[in-house]
């Protein structure tokens, strides 16, 4: 055999099985099994195990391994899988997902996006009235969803949109994006007049811009 494995024996088990995970190969067998027979049986599974190990290695290389943690408001939150319901536990800095830990990364991201949309919407609804009032800006519709290439936008029709992944940033960075987008109510272009408005209501906007550029990535 050309692969290492961990042997787990059980008094209840009556058959032999192999599982291949990112942690390695595990062989499940009943107590009292003949090790000579087991080694011979494993020899016949050599090709199958090698294929499974190659798939696991490819997933790791492509970044398809299940997530273990994500940032919420700039702090690391541990992911807890196979929960009865999905929710964010701010007190213990955990996120509960209903997906299995060995499921695809896409299924984890789908659940996270749903949670992030709700959480970010609640935060925005609490902060937008303040910035609207002091900036004299208006919008008609608020949308929070996942975008690949932008953190926020304000359309000429009054649609104010934010990227759900923005929840990973500290609140002071989210506030900058709010100011940035509401400034477009007065000036749509990113010209000198626009940045003067941003600087007036968010003096440390350069610091927030650098954080988004250097520290943030989509989940």
């Amino acid at each position: 055999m050309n692969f290492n494995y961990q042997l787990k024996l059980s008094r209840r088990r009556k058959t032999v099985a192999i599982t291949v995970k990112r942690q390695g190969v595990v062989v499940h067998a009943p107590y009292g099994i003949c090790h000579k027979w087991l080694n011979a049986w494993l020899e016949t599974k050599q090709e199958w195990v090698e294929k499974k190990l190659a798939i696991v290695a490819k997933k790791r290389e492509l970044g398809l391994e299940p997530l273990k943690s994500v940032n919420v408001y700039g702090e690391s939150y541990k992911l807890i899988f196979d929960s009865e319901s999905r929710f964010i536990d701010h007190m213990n800095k955990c996120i509960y997902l209903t997906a299995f830990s060995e499921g695809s990364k896409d299924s984890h991201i789908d659940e996270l996006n749903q949670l992030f949309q709700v959480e970010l919407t609640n935060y925005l609804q609490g902060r937008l009235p303040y910035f609207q009032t002091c900036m004299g800006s208006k919008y008609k519709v608020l949308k929070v969803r996942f975008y690949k290439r932008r953190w926020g936008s304000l359309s000429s029709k009054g649609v104010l949109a934010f990227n759900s992944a923005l929840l990973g940033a500290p609140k002071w960075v989210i506030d900058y994006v709010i100011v940035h987008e509401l400034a477009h109510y007065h000036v749509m272009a990113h010209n000198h007049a626009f940045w003067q408005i941003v600087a007036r209501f968010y003096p440390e906007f350069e610091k927030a811009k650098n954080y988004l550029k250097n520290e943030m990535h989509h989940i």
Side-chain angles (χ1 to χ4, degrees):
M1 278 184 304
N2 296 321
F3 62 89
N4 295 320
Y5 64 90
Q6 177 186 3
L7 179 61
K8 289 190 175 181
L9 301 175
S10 171
R11 297 185 185 282
R12 295 183 178 181
R13 175 173 286 277
K14 296 181 179 180
T15 58
V16 180
I18 306 175
T19 57
V20 181
K21 301 180 180 180
R22 62 185 183 278
Q23 298 91 342
V25 180
V26 180
V27 176
H28 305 271
Y31 267 103
I33 190 168
C34 174
H35 288 272
K36 184 177 180 180
W37 178 92
L38 179 61
N39 288 333
W41 181 79
L42 290 173
E43 288 282 358
T44 67
K45 301 298 180 181
Q46 174 83 36
E47 184 178 351
W48 181 85
V49 171
E50 288 179 349
K51 289 182 179 179
K52 289 293 184 179
L53 287 172
I55 292 173
V56 170
K58 190 64 175 179
K59 286 184 176 181
R60 184 182 295 110
E61 178 184 340
L62 297 175
L64 299 178
E65 287 295 291
L67 298 170
K68 294 182 179 179
S69 65
V70 295
N71 281 358
V72 175
Y73 296 130
E75 297 187 71
S76 180
Y77 278 51
K78 181 181 179 181
L79 298 183
I80 307 297
F81 298 98
D82 198 16
S83 171
E84 292 185 358
S85 59
R86 63 173 73 102
F87 63 95
I88 300 177
D89 181 354
H90 291 293
M91 180 175 294
N92 297 303
K93 294 183 180 179
C94 295
I95 299 178
Y96 290 82
L97 302 177
T98 59
F100 292 104
S101 61
E102 296 299 326
S104 69
K105 186 176 178 181
D106 288 342
S107 65
H108 302 158
I109 290 177
D110 287 342
E111 284 201 73
L112 285 170
N113 275 330
Q114 293 177 44
L115 286 172
F116 275 35
Q117 286 176 13
V118 173
E119 180 72 22
L120 184 60
T121 298
N122 290 338
Y123 180 81
L124 293 171
Q125 290 175 338
R127 295 295 284 161
L128 279 168
Y130 166 77
F131 287 112
Q132 268 192 285
T133 300
C134 64
M135 295 178 68
S137 301
K138 297 179 181 179
Y139 70 92
K140 294 180 180 179
V141 180
L142 172 64
K143 289 186 177 181
V144 178
R145 59 185 61 177
F146 175 73
Y147 298 100
K148 289 185 177 181
R149 294 181 177 85
R150 60 181 177 178
W151 294 113
S153 64
L154 177 62
S155 72
S156 58
K157 295 183 179 181
V159 178
L160 182 61
F162 292 91
N163 191 332
S164 58
L166 191 59
L167 187 71
K171 292 180 179 180
W172 57 271
V173 176
I174 300 175
D175 286 351
Y176 155 70
V177 180
I178 293 174
V179 171
H180 182 115
E181 302 311 331
L182 289 180
H184 280 307
Y185 175 79
H186 304 285
V187 180
M188 292 302 292
H190 290 106
N191 54 23
H192 180 68
F194 169 82
W195 289 113
Q196 279 188 317
I197 296 172
V198 174
R200 178 183 175 187
F201 296 101
Y202 201 99
E204 295 188 337
F205 70 93
E206 289 288 359
K207 180 181 177 183
K209 283 176 61 179
N210 288 333
Y211 188 98
L212 287 172
K213 180 180 179 181
N214 300 320
E215 304 295 335
M216 287 293 291
H217 56 84
H218 297 154
I219 59 177

